[in-house]
Short mmCIF file of all heavy atoms in Angstrom, two decimals:
data_model
loop_
_atom_site.label_atom_id
_atom_site.label_comp_id
_atom_site.label_asym_id
_atom_site.label_seq_id
_atom_site.Cartn_x
_atom_site.Cartn_y
_atom_site.Cartn_z
N MET A 1 167.62 165.60 212.23
CA MET A 1 167.75 164.63 213.33
C MET A 1 168.58 163.37 212.87
O MET A 1 169.30 162.86 213.65
CB MET A 1 166.34 164.24 213.80
CG MET A 1 165.67 165.34 214.57
SD MET A 1 164.00 164.99 215.10
CE MET A 1 164.16 163.47 216.00
N LEU A 2 168.35 163.02 211.59
CA LEU A 2 169.15 161.89 211.14
C LEU A 2 170.66 162.18 211.09
O LEU A 2 171.47 161.33 211.40
CB LEU A 2 168.65 161.48 209.75
CG LEU A 2 167.29 160.78 209.69
CD1 LEU A 2 166.90 160.52 208.23
CD2 LEU A 2 167.34 159.44 210.44
N PHE A 3 170.99 163.43 210.78
CA PHE A 3 172.36 163.85 210.74
C PHE A 3 172.98 163.73 212.16
O PHE A 3 174.07 163.17 212.34
CB PHE A 3 172.49 165.30 210.30
CG PHE A 3 173.88 165.80 210.16
CD1 PHE A 3 174.74 165.34 209.15
CD2 PHE A 3 174.34 166.77 211.03
CE1 PHE A 3 176.01 165.79 209.07
CE2 PHE A 3 175.68 167.21 210.93
CZ PHE A 3 176.48 166.72 209.95
N SER A 4 172.26 164.11 213.18
CA SER A 4 172.71 163.99 214.57
C SER A 4 172.87 162.53 214.97
O SER A 4 173.78 162.15 215.65
CB SER A 4 171.76 164.70 215.53
OG SER A 4 171.65 166.05 215.21
N PHE A 5 171.92 161.70 214.49
CA PHE A 5 171.97 160.29 214.80
C PHE A 5 173.23 159.61 214.21
O PHE A 5 173.82 158.76 214.84
CB PHE A 5 170.71 159.55 214.28
CG PHE A 5 170.57 158.16 214.75
CD1 PHE A 5 170.35 157.88 216.02
CD2 PHE A 5 170.74 157.13 213.83
CE1 PHE A 5 170.25 156.55 216.45
CE2 PHE A 5 170.67 155.83 214.26
CZ PHE A 5 170.37 155.50 215.57
N THR A 6 173.61 160.01 213.02
CA THR A 6 174.85 159.48 212.42
C THR A 6 176.08 159.87 213.23
O THR A 6 177.02 159.10 213.32
CB THR A 6 175.04 159.91 210.97
OG1 THR A 6 175.14 161.34 210.87
CG2 THR A 6 173.89 159.46 210.07
N LEU A 7 176.04 161.09 213.80
CA LEU A 7 177.20 161.47 214.65
C LEU A 7 177.24 160.74 215.92
O LEU A 7 178.31 160.39 216.47
CB LEU A 7 177.12 163.00 214.91
CG LEU A 7 177.23 163.90 213.64
CD1 LEU A 7 177.10 165.33 214.06
CD2 LEU A 7 178.54 163.64 212.93
N ILE A 8 176.05 160.43 216.53
CA ILE A 8 176.00 159.70 217.80
C ILE A 8 176.48 158.27 217.63
O ILE A 8 177.19 157.74 218.48
CB ILE A 8 174.56 159.74 218.34
CG1 ILE A 8 174.16 161.09 218.78
CG2 ILE A 8 174.38 158.77 219.52
CD1 ILE A 8 172.72 161.29 219.10
N THR A 9 176.12 157.64 216.52
CA THR A 9 176.48 156.22 216.32
C THR A 9 177.83 156.04 215.71
O THR A 9 178.29 154.88 215.57
CB THR A 9 175.43 155.53 215.40
OG1 THR A 9 175.40 156.23 214.17
CG2 THR A 9 174.08 155.58 216.02
N GLY A 10 178.49 157.08 215.36
CA GLY A 10 179.83 156.97 214.71
C GLY A 10 180.97 156.73 215.66
O GLY A 10 180.84 156.73 216.88
N LYS A 11 182.15 156.47 215.12
CA LYS A 11 183.35 156.24 215.88
C LYS A 11 184.26 157.42 215.70
O LYS A 11 184.31 158.05 214.66
CB LYS A 11 184.07 154.96 215.41
CG LYS A 11 183.24 153.71 215.49
CD LYS A 11 183.92 152.56 214.84
CE LYS A 11 182.84 151.68 214.25
NZ LYS A 11 183.15 151.16 213.01
N ILE A 12 185.09 157.71 216.76
CA ILE A 12 186.00 158.84 216.60
C ILE A 12 187.32 158.30 216.14
O ILE A 12 187.90 157.37 216.70
CB ILE A 12 186.16 159.54 217.99
CG1 ILE A 12 184.82 160.16 218.43
CG2 ILE A 12 187.25 160.61 217.90
CD1 ILE A 12 184.85 160.75 219.81
N ASP A 13 187.83 158.89 215.05
CA ASP A 13 189.10 158.49 214.48
C ASP A 13 189.90 159.72 214.12
O ASP A 13 189.55 160.53 213.29
CB ASP A 13 188.82 157.65 213.17
CG ASP A 13 190.06 157.11 212.56
OD1 ASP A 13 191.07 156.87 213.34
OD2 ASP A 13 190.13 156.88 211.34
N ASN A 14 191.02 159.92 214.85
CA ASN A 14 191.91 161.08 214.67
C ASN A 14 191.12 162.40 214.81
O ASN A 14 191.29 163.33 214.05
CB ASN A 14 192.61 161.07 213.24
CG ASN A 14 193.53 159.94 213.19
OD1 ASN A 14 194.15 159.51 214.21
ND2 ASN A 14 193.77 159.44 211.98
N GLY A 15 190.27 162.49 215.79
CA GLY A 15 189.56 163.73 216.06
C GLY A 15 188.31 163.97 215.19
O GLY A 15 187.66 165.00 215.32
N ALA A 16 187.98 163.06 214.28
CA ALA A 16 186.85 163.21 213.38
C ALA A 16 185.91 162.06 213.63
O ALA A 16 186.34 160.97 213.98
CB ALA A 16 187.30 163.21 211.93
N ILE A 17 184.62 162.36 213.47
CA ILE A 17 183.62 161.30 213.67
C ILE A 17 183.37 160.58 212.35
O ILE A 17 183.10 161.24 211.33
CB ILE A 17 182.31 161.90 214.20
CG1 ILE A 17 182.51 162.50 215.56
CG2 ILE A 17 181.21 160.82 214.24
CD1 ILE A 17 181.32 163.20 216.18
N VAL A 18 183.53 159.25 212.36
CA VAL A 18 183.32 158.46 211.16
C VAL A 18 182.05 157.66 211.33
O VAL A 18 181.95 156.88 212.27
CB VAL A 18 184.56 157.51 210.95
CG1 VAL A 18 184.35 156.63 209.71
CG2 VAL A 18 185.85 158.31 210.86
N PRO A 19 181.06 157.80 210.45
CA PRO A 19 179.82 157.01 210.57
C PRO A 19 180.12 155.49 210.58
O PRO A 19 181.05 155.03 209.92
CB PRO A 19 179.02 157.40 209.35
CG PRO A 19 179.55 158.77 209.03
CD PRO A 19 180.99 158.74 209.32
N SER A 20 179.29 154.76 211.26
CA SER A 20 179.56 153.34 211.46
C SER A 20 179.30 152.46 210.26
O SER A 20 179.85 151.39 210.14
CB SER A 20 178.69 152.84 212.67
OG SER A 20 177.32 153.12 212.42
N ASN A 21 178.37 152.86 209.31
CA ASN A 21 178.16 152.06 208.11
C ASN A 21 177.84 152.90 206.95
O ASN A 21 177.75 154.15 207.08
CB ASN A 21 177.10 150.98 208.36
CG ASN A 21 175.74 151.56 208.65
OD1 ASN A 21 175.41 152.65 208.27
ND2 ASN A 21 174.92 150.80 209.40
N GLN A 22 177.68 152.34 205.77
CA GLN A 22 177.51 153.13 204.53
C GLN A 22 176.24 153.94 204.49
O GLN A 22 176.23 155.04 203.97
CB GLN A 22 177.61 152.17 203.29
CG GLN A 22 177.58 152.92 201.99
CD GLN A 22 178.78 153.89 201.84
OE1 GLN A 22 179.86 153.61 202.25
NE2 GLN A 22 178.49 155.06 201.25
N SER A 23 175.15 153.38 205.03
CA SER A 23 173.88 154.17 204.99
C SER A 23 174.01 155.39 205.87
O SER A 23 173.51 156.48 205.50
CB SER A 23 172.70 153.30 205.40
OG SER A 23 172.92 152.85 206.71
N PHE A 24 174.66 155.28 207.02
CA PHE A 24 174.88 156.44 207.86
C PHE A 24 175.85 157.43 207.20
O PHE A 24 175.71 158.63 207.35
CB PHE A 24 175.45 156.09 209.21
CG PHE A 24 174.41 155.46 210.13
CD1 PHE A 24 174.77 154.49 211.05
CD2 PHE A 24 173.10 155.86 210.09
CE1 PHE A 24 173.81 153.92 211.90
CE2 PHE A 24 172.12 155.32 210.93
CZ PHE A 24 172.48 154.34 211.83
N GLN A 25 176.81 156.92 206.39
CA GLN A 25 177.71 157.80 205.65
C GLN A 25 176.98 158.62 204.63
O GLN A 25 177.20 159.81 204.47
CB GLN A 25 178.86 156.96 205.01
CG GLN A 25 179.80 157.77 204.21
CD GLN A 25 180.66 158.74 205.05
OE1 GLN A 25 181.10 158.32 206.13
NE2 GLN A 25 180.85 159.95 204.60
N ASN A 26 176.02 157.98 203.95
CA ASN A 26 175.18 158.70 202.98
C ASN A 26 174.36 159.79 203.60
O ASN A 26 174.25 160.92 203.09
CB ASN A 26 174.29 157.74 202.20
CG ASN A 26 175.05 156.79 201.31
OD1 ASN A 26 176.20 157.03 200.94
ND2 ASN A 26 174.45 155.66 200.99
N ILE A 27 173.73 159.47 204.76
CA ILE A 27 172.96 160.49 205.48
C ILE A 27 173.84 161.63 205.93
O ILE A 27 173.53 162.79 205.85
CB ILE A 27 172.23 159.87 206.65
CG1 ILE A 27 171.17 158.88 206.13
CG2 ILE A 27 171.60 160.86 207.57
CD1 ILE A 27 170.55 158.04 207.20
N TYR A 28 175.05 161.28 206.40
CA TYR A 28 176.05 162.27 206.85
C TYR A 28 176.42 163.23 205.73
O TYR A 28 176.49 164.41 205.85
CB TYR A 28 177.25 161.56 207.41
CG TYR A 28 178.34 162.46 207.95
CD1 TYR A 28 178.23 163.07 209.18
CD2 TYR A 28 179.48 162.66 207.20
CE1 TYR A 28 179.24 163.89 209.65
CE2 TYR A 28 180.47 163.49 207.67
CZ TYR A 28 180.35 164.13 208.90
OH TYR A 28 181.33 164.92 209.37
N ASP A 29 176.68 162.64 204.54
CA ASP A 29 177.08 163.48 203.37
C ASP A 29 175.96 164.41 202.95
O ASP A 29 176.17 165.58 202.60
CB ASP A 29 177.43 162.57 202.19
CG ASP A 29 178.74 161.85 202.40
OD1 ASP A 29 179.54 162.29 203.27
OD2 ASP A 29 178.92 160.79 201.72
N ILE A 30 174.73 163.93 202.96
CA ILE A 30 173.56 164.79 202.61
C ILE A 30 173.39 165.85 203.66
O ILE A 30 173.11 167.01 203.35
CB ILE A 30 172.26 163.90 202.48
CG1 ILE A 30 172.35 163.03 201.27
CG2 ILE A 30 171.04 164.78 202.46
CD1 ILE A 30 171.30 161.98 201.22
N GLY A 31 173.53 165.58 204.91
CA GLY A 31 173.47 166.59 206.01
C GLY A 31 174.55 167.66 205.86
O GLY A 31 174.26 168.81 206.02
N GLN A 32 175.77 167.24 205.54
CA GLN A 32 176.83 168.24 205.39
C GLN A 32 176.58 169.14 204.16
O GLN A 32 176.86 170.34 204.27
CB GLN A 32 178.18 167.54 205.24
CG GLN A 32 178.80 167.14 206.53
CD GLN A 32 180.28 167.08 206.44
OE1 GLN A 32 180.85 166.71 205.41
NE2 GLN A 32 180.92 167.42 207.52
N ALA A 33 176.05 168.59 203.12
CA ALA A 33 175.73 169.39 201.95
C ALA A 33 174.61 170.37 202.30
O ALA A 33 174.66 171.54 201.87
CB ALA A 33 175.29 168.51 200.77
N GLY A 34 173.63 169.95 203.04
CA GLY A 34 172.56 170.83 203.49
C GLY A 34 173.09 171.99 204.35
O GLY A 34 172.67 173.14 204.18
N PHE A 35 173.90 171.67 205.30
CA PHE A 35 174.49 172.71 206.18
C PHE A 35 175.37 173.65 205.42
O PHE A 35 175.38 174.85 205.67
CB PHE A 35 175.28 172.07 207.35
CG PHE A 35 174.42 171.62 208.46
CD1 PHE A 35 174.47 170.32 208.89
CD2 PHE A 35 173.55 172.46 209.10
CE1 PHE A 35 173.72 169.87 209.94
CE2 PHE A 35 172.75 172.04 210.15
CZ PHE A 35 172.85 170.73 210.58
N ALA A 36 176.07 173.13 204.39
CA ALA A 36 176.96 174.05 203.57
C ALA A 36 176.17 174.98 202.70
O ALA A 36 176.62 176.09 202.38
CB ALA A 36 177.83 173.16 202.70
N MET A 37 174.92 174.62 202.37
CA MET A 37 174.10 175.50 201.49
C MET A 37 173.24 176.49 202.33
O MET A 37 172.61 177.32 201.73
CB MET A 37 173.21 174.64 200.61
CG MET A 37 173.98 173.93 199.55
SD MET A 37 172.95 173.00 198.41
CE MET A 37 172.10 174.37 197.63
N MET A 38 173.31 176.40 203.63
CA MET A 38 172.49 177.36 204.40
C MET A 38 172.90 178.80 204.24
O MET A 38 172.10 179.70 204.14
CB MET A 38 172.55 176.98 205.92
CG MET A 38 171.64 175.85 206.31
SD MET A 38 171.72 175.68 208.05
CE MET A 38 170.97 174.10 208.22
N VAL A 39 174.21 179.05 204.24
CA VAL A 39 174.69 180.43 204.15
C VAL A 39 174.38 181.04 202.77
O VAL A 39 173.87 182.15 202.70
CB VAL A 39 176.21 180.50 204.47
CG1 VAL A 39 176.79 181.84 204.13
CG2 VAL A 39 176.45 180.12 205.92
N PRO A 40 174.61 180.32 201.63
CA PRO A 40 174.26 180.95 200.34
C PRO A 40 172.76 181.20 200.21
O PRO A 40 172.38 182.24 199.66
CB PRO A 40 174.69 179.89 199.32
CG PRO A 40 175.71 179.09 199.98
CD PRO A 40 175.34 179.12 201.43
N VAL A 41 171.92 180.32 200.73
CA VAL A 41 170.47 180.57 200.66
C VAL A 41 170.08 181.73 201.54
O VAL A 41 169.26 182.59 201.12
CB VAL A 41 169.70 179.28 201.02
CG1 VAL A 41 168.23 179.54 201.19
CG2 VAL A 41 169.96 178.23 200.00
N MET A 42 170.69 181.86 202.71
CA MET A 42 170.34 183.03 203.57
C MET A 42 170.83 184.30 202.89
O MET A 42 170.05 185.32 202.89
CB MET A 42 171.05 182.88 204.92
CG MET A 42 170.75 184.02 205.87
SD MET A 42 171.67 183.93 207.40
CE MET A 42 173.30 184.34 206.86
N CYS A 43 171.99 184.35 202.30
CA CYS A 43 172.48 185.53 201.60
C CYS A 43 171.53 185.88 200.41
O CYS A 43 171.28 187.05 200.11
CB CYS A 43 173.89 185.32 201.07
SG CYS A 43 175.10 185.25 202.39
N ALA A 44 171.03 184.87 199.69
CA ALA A 44 170.13 185.11 198.62
C ALA A 44 168.86 185.72 199.06
O ALA A 44 168.30 186.63 198.43
CB ALA A 44 169.86 183.82 197.87
N TYR A 45 168.29 185.28 200.20
CA TYR A 45 167.07 185.84 200.67
C TYR A 45 167.27 187.31 201.21
O TYR A 45 166.37 188.12 201.15
CB TYR A 45 166.41 184.98 201.74
CG TYR A 45 165.59 183.88 201.15
CD1 TYR A 45 166.04 182.57 201.18
CD2 TYR A 45 164.41 184.17 200.50
CE1 TYR A 45 165.28 181.59 200.57
CE2 TYR A 45 163.65 183.17 199.92
CZ TYR A 45 164.10 181.90 199.97
OH TYR A 45 163.37 180.91 199.36
N ILE A 46 168.43 187.59 201.77
CA ILE A 46 168.71 188.98 202.14
C ILE A 46 168.76 189.83 200.88
O ILE A 46 168.23 190.97 200.87
CB ILE A 46 170.03 189.08 202.95
CG1 ILE A 46 169.85 188.39 204.33
CG2 ILE A 46 170.50 190.49 203.13
CD1 ILE A 46 171.13 188.22 205.08
N ALA A 47 169.37 189.33 199.82
CA ALA A 47 169.43 190.08 198.60
C ALA A 47 168.06 190.25 197.99
O ALA A 47 167.71 191.30 197.41
CB ALA A 47 170.35 189.43 197.56
N TYR A 48 167.21 189.28 198.09
CA TYR A 48 165.82 189.34 197.63
C TYR A 48 165.08 190.43 198.37
O TYR A 48 164.26 191.17 197.77
CB TYR A 48 165.15 188.02 197.81
CG TYR A 48 163.64 188.00 197.48
CD1 TYR A 48 163.26 188.02 196.15
CD2 TYR A 48 162.70 187.96 198.48
CE1 TYR A 48 161.91 188.04 195.82
CE2 TYR A 48 161.36 187.96 198.15
CZ TYR A 48 160.97 188.01 196.80
OH TYR A 48 159.66 188.01 196.51
N ALA A 49 165.29 190.54 199.67
CA ALA A 49 164.62 191.57 200.50
C ALA A 49 165.07 192.96 200.03
O ALA A 49 164.25 193.92 200.10
CB ALA A 49 164.91 191.38 201.93
N ILE A 50 166.28 193.07 199.57
CA ILE A 50 166.80 194.43 199.15
C ILE A 50 166.47 194.71 197.70
O ILE A 50 166.02 195.77 197.36
CB ILE A 50 168.32 194.48 199.39
CG1 ILE A 50 168.64 194.41 200.86
CG2 ILE A 50 168.89 195.75 198.76
CD1 ILE A 50 170.10 194.23 201.16
N GLY A 51 166.67 193.70 196.77
CA GLY A 51 166.60 193.99 195.36
C GLY A 51 165.59 193.20 194.58
O GLY A 51 165.68 193.16 193.33
N SER A 52 164.69 192.46 195.15
CA SER A 52 163.64 191.73 194.52
C SER A 52 164.21 190.49 193.80
O SER A 52 165.32 190.04 194.03
CB SER A 52 162.85 192.61 193.61
OG SER A 52 161.67 191.96 193.18
N LYS A 53 163.43 189.96 192.86
CA LYS A 53 163.73 188.64 192.23
C LYS A 53 165.07 188.54 191.52
O LYS A 53 165.78 187.55 191.62
CB LYS A 53 162.59 188.21 191.31
CG LYS A 53 161.36 187.84 192.08
CD LYS A 53 160.25 187.39 191.14
CE LYS A 53 159.00 187.06 191.92
NZ LYS A 53 157.88 186.65 191.04
N PRO A 54 165.47 189.50 190.71
CA PRO A 54 166.71 189.38 190.00
C PRO A 54 167.93 189.28 190.98
O PRO A 54 168.89 188.55 190.70
CB PRO A 54 166.89 190.66 189.17
CG PRO A 54 165.46 191.15 189.02
CD PRO A 54 164.74 190.71 190.26
N ALA A 55 167.83 189.91 192.13
CA ALA A 55 168.97 189.85 193.08
C ALA A 55 169.06 188.48 193.71
O ALA A 55 170.16 188.03 194.10
CB ALA A 55 168.82 190.90 194.15
N PHE A 56 167.92 187.78 193.86
CA PHE A 56 167.92 186.43 194.53
C PHE A 56 168.85 185.49 193.77
O PHE A 56 169.68 184.87 194.42
CB PHE A 56 166.45 185.97 194.62
CG PHE A 56 166.38 184.58 195.21
CD1 PHE A 56 166.38 184.41 196.55
CD2 PHE A 56 166.27 183.46 194.44
CE1 PHE A 56 166.30 183.17 197.12
CE2 PHE A 56 166.19 182.20 194.97
CZ PHE A 56 166.15 182.05 196.32
N THR A 57 168.62 185.34 192.47
CA THR A 57 169.40 184.38 191.69
C THR A 57 170.86 184.74 191.65
O THR A 57 171.73 183.86 191.88
CB THR A 57 168.85 184.31 190.29
OG1 THR A 57 167.48 183.98 190.36
CG2 THR A 57 169.54 183.25 189.54
N LEU A 58 171.16 185.99 191.45
CA LEU A 58 172.58 186.41 191.39
C LEU A 58 173.26 186.24 192.73
O LEU A 58 174.44 185.75 192.76
CB LEU A 58 172.64 187.90 191.01
CG LEU A 58 172.21 188.18 189.51
CD1 LEU A 58 172.25 189.69 189.28
CD2 LEU A 58 173.18 187.49 188.58
N ALA A 59 172.60 186.54 193.84
CA ALA A 59 173.25 186.31 195.10
C ALA A 59 173.46 184.89 195.45
O ALA A 59 174.47 184.50 196.02
CB ALA A 59 172.39 187.02 196.19
N LEU A 60 172.49 184.02 195.12
CA LEU A 60 172.62 182.60 195.34
C LEU A 60 173.78 182.06 194.53
O LEU A 60 174.64 181.28 195.10
CB LEU A 60 171.36 181.89 194.95
CG LEU A 60 171.26 180.38 195.27
CD1 LEU A 60 171.44 180.12 196.79
CD2 LEU A 60 170.01 179.80 194.76
N MET A 61 173.92 182.41 193.31
CA MET A 61 175.02 181.89 192.51
C MET A 61 176.38 182.42 192.95
O MET A 61 177.32 181.71 193.10
CB MET A 61 174.79 182.23 191.02
CG MET A 61 173.69 181.48 190.42
SD MET A 61 173.53 181.64 188.64
CE MET A 61 173.66 183.38 188.37
N ALA A 62 176.41 183.74 193.26
CA ALA A 62 177.67 184.35 193.66
C ALA A 62 178.17 183.81 195.00
O ALA A 62 179.37 183.50 195.19
CB ALA A 62 177.51 185.88 193.74
N GLU A 63 177.32 183.67 196.00
CA GLU A 63 177.68 183.14 197.30
C GLU A 63 178.08 181.68 197.17
O GLU A 63 178.97 181.23 197.84
CB GLU A 63 176.61 183.39 198.30
CG GLU A 63 176.90 182.80 199.65
CD GLU A 63 178.10 183.45 200.34
OE1 GLU A 63 178.37 184.65 200.06
OE2 GLU A 63 178.74 182.78 201.15
N GLY A 64 177.39 180.97 196.39
CA GLY A 64 177.68 179.53 196.26
C GLY A 64 178.98 179.26 195.57
O GLY A 64 179.69 178.32 195.90
N ILE A 65 179.34 180.11 194.59
CA ILE A 65 180.56 179.88 193.84
C ILE A 65 181.75 180.57 194.46
O ILE A 65 182.83 179.94 194.65
CB ILE A 65 180.39 180.36 192.36
CG1 ILE A 65 179.31 179.49 191.68
CG2 ILE A 65 181.68 180.31 191.63
CD1 ILE A 65 178.87 180.05 190.36
N TYR A 66 181.54 181.81 194.88
CA TYR A 66 182.68 182.61 195.37
C TYR A 66 182.74 182.79 196.87
O TYR A 66 183.60 183.45 197.40
CB TYR A 66 182.63 184.01 194.76
CG TYR A 66 182.73 183.95 193.20
CD1 TYR A 66 181.66 184.34 192.44
CD2 TYR A 66 183.86 183.47 192.62
CE1 TYR A 66 181.71 184.29 191.07
CE2 TYR A 66 183.95 183.41 191.24
CZ TYR A 66 182.85 183.81 190.46
OH TYR A 66 182.92 183.75 189.12
N GLY A 67 181.79 182.19 197.60
CA GLY A 67 181.70 182.29 199.03
C GLY A 67 182.91 181.69 199.72
O GLY A 67 183.71 181.00 199.07
N PRO A 68 183.04 181.90 201.02
CA PRO A 68 184.26 181.43 201.71
C PRO A 68 184.43 179.90 201.65
O PRO A 68 185.54 179.43 201.60
CB PRO A 68 184.02 181.87 203.17
CG PRO A 68 182.59 182.26 203.21
CD PRO A 68 182.11 182.60 201.88
N ASN A 69 183.32 179.15 201.63
CA ASN A 69 183.42 177.71 201.58
C ASN A 69 183.20 177.18 200.16
O ASN A 69 183.46 176.00 199.90
CB ASN A 69 182.42 177.07 202.48
CG ASN A 69 182.73 177.35 203.95
OD1 ASN A 69 183.87 177.46 204.31
ND2 ASN A 69 181.70 177.47 204.76
N GLY A 70 182.71 177.96 199.29
CA GLY A 70 182.34 177.50 197.94
C GLY A 70 181.40 176.30 198.04
O GLY A 70 181.74 175.22 197.49
N ALA A 71 180.30 176.48 198.68
CA ALA A 71 179.43 175.37 199.06
C ALA A 71 179.01 174.53 197.90
O ALA A 71 178.86 173.32 198.03
CB ALA A 71 178.21 175.92 199.76
N PHE A 72 178.80 175.07 196.71
CA PHE A 72 178.36 174.35 195.57
C PHE A 72 179.49 173.45 194.99
O PHE A 72 179.29 172.50 194.33
CB PHE A 72 177.81 175.20 194.51
CG PHE A 72 176.54 175.91 194.90
CD1 PHE A 72 176.23 177.15 194.37
CD2 PHE A 72 175.63 175.34 195.75
CE1 PHE A 72 175.06 177.78 194.76
CE2 PHE A 72 174.47 175.95 196.17
CZ PHE A 72 174.19 177.20 195.63
N ARG A 73 180.73 173.88 195.21
CA ARG A 73 181.85 173.12 194.73
C ARG A 73 182.41 172.12 195.76
O ARG A 73 183.04 171.13 195.41
CB ARG A 73 182.99 174.05 194.37
CG ARG A 73 182.70 174.95 193.20
CD ARG A 73 183.82 175.90 192.92
NE ARG A 73 183.80 176.91 194.00
CZ ARG A 73 184.83 177.52 194.43
NH1 ARG A 73 186.04 177.35 193.88
NH2 ARG A 73 184.76 178.44 195.38
N MET A 74 182.21 172.43 197.04
CA MET A 74 182.85 171.69 198.13
C MET A 74 182.34 170.30 198.29
O MET A 74 183.05 169.36 198.52
CB MET A 74 182.70 172.49 199.42
CG MET A 74 183.53 172.03 200.55
SD MET A 74 183.45 173.21 201.88
CE MET A 74 184.51 172.50 203.04
N TYR A 75 181.02 170.08 198.25
CA TYR A 75 180.42 168.80 198.56
C TYR A 75 179.78 168.25 197.29
O TYR A 75 178.90 168.82 196.69
CB TYR A 75 179.34 168.91 199.61
CG TYR A 75 179.92 169.39 200.92
CD1 TYR A 75 179.74 170.67 201.38
CD2 TYR A 75 180.72 168.55 201.68
CE1 TYR A 75 180.32 171.14 202.59
CE2 TYR A 75 181.26 168.95 202.89
CZ TYR A 75 181.07 170.23 203.32
OH TYR A 75 181.59 170.66 204.48
N HIS A 76 180.30 167.09 196.89
CA HIS A 76 179.73 166.37 195.75
C HIS A 76 179.19 165.03 196.25
O HIS A 76 179.99 164.24 196.72
CB HIS A 76 180.74 166.19 194.64
CG HIS A 76 181.29 167.45 194.12
ND1 HIS A 76 180.59 168.26 193.29
CD2 HIS A 76 182.50 168.06 194.36
CE1 HIS A 76 181.32 169.32 192.97
NE2 HIS A 76 182.49 169.23 193.63
N LEU A 77 177.91 164.85 196.16
CA LEU A 77 177.37 163.56 196.56
C LEU A 77 177.57 162.56 195.53
O LEU A 77 177.25 162.78 194.33
CB LEU A 77 175.86 163.72 196.89
CG LEU A 77 175.53 164.71 198.00
CD1 LEU A 77 174.02 164.87 198.10
CD2 LEU A 77 176.14 164.26 199.30
N SER A 78 178.11 161.41 195.86
CA SER A 78 178.34 160.39 194.83
C SER A 78 177.48 159.21 195.04
O SER A 78 176.86 158.98 196.01
CB SER A 78 179.81 159.97 194.89
OG SER A 78 180.19 159.59 196.16
#
């Protein structure tokens, strides 16, 4: 809900929503990182259902590193 609130209070600049202050920017960054990690975690749980515990860790690492967005590399919170 906080992620949505940052989008509502932001300003539109060149087709992108820019949060209105630094605290909203921090919440926005955390929200984007969370959304980016949803697909790797979902893939890991599918692998867990098929191959048990060893498959969970391998699938999480493989999807996070080699996935289409490279979620673990794409967003760095500073």
Side-chain angles (χ1 to χ4, degrees):
M1 288 177 54
L2 287 175
F3 182 71
S4 300
F5 188 70
T6 62
L7 296 177
I8 291 170
T9 59
K11 300 173 213 141
I12 297 176
D13 185 28
N14 294 330
I17 298 175
V18 179
S20 57
N21 62 28
Q22 186 60 40
S23 62
F24 286 147
Q25 179 67 42
N26 293 340
I27 293 170
Y28 180 77
D29 291 340
I30 291 169
Q32 278 207 326
F35 280 123
M37 290 184 66
M38 280 186 194
V39 173
V41 170
M42 182 185 70
C43 292
Y45 276 108
I46 291 171
Y48 174 74
I50 296 170
S52 192
K53 288 182 183 178
F56 177 82
T57 305
L58 292 174
L60 183 63
M61 290 189 313
E63 178 62 27
I65 295 170
Y66 301 113
N69 294 328
F72 293 149
R73 293 177 287 151
M74 190 172 182
Y75 296 106
H76 299 287
L77 300 175
S78 52

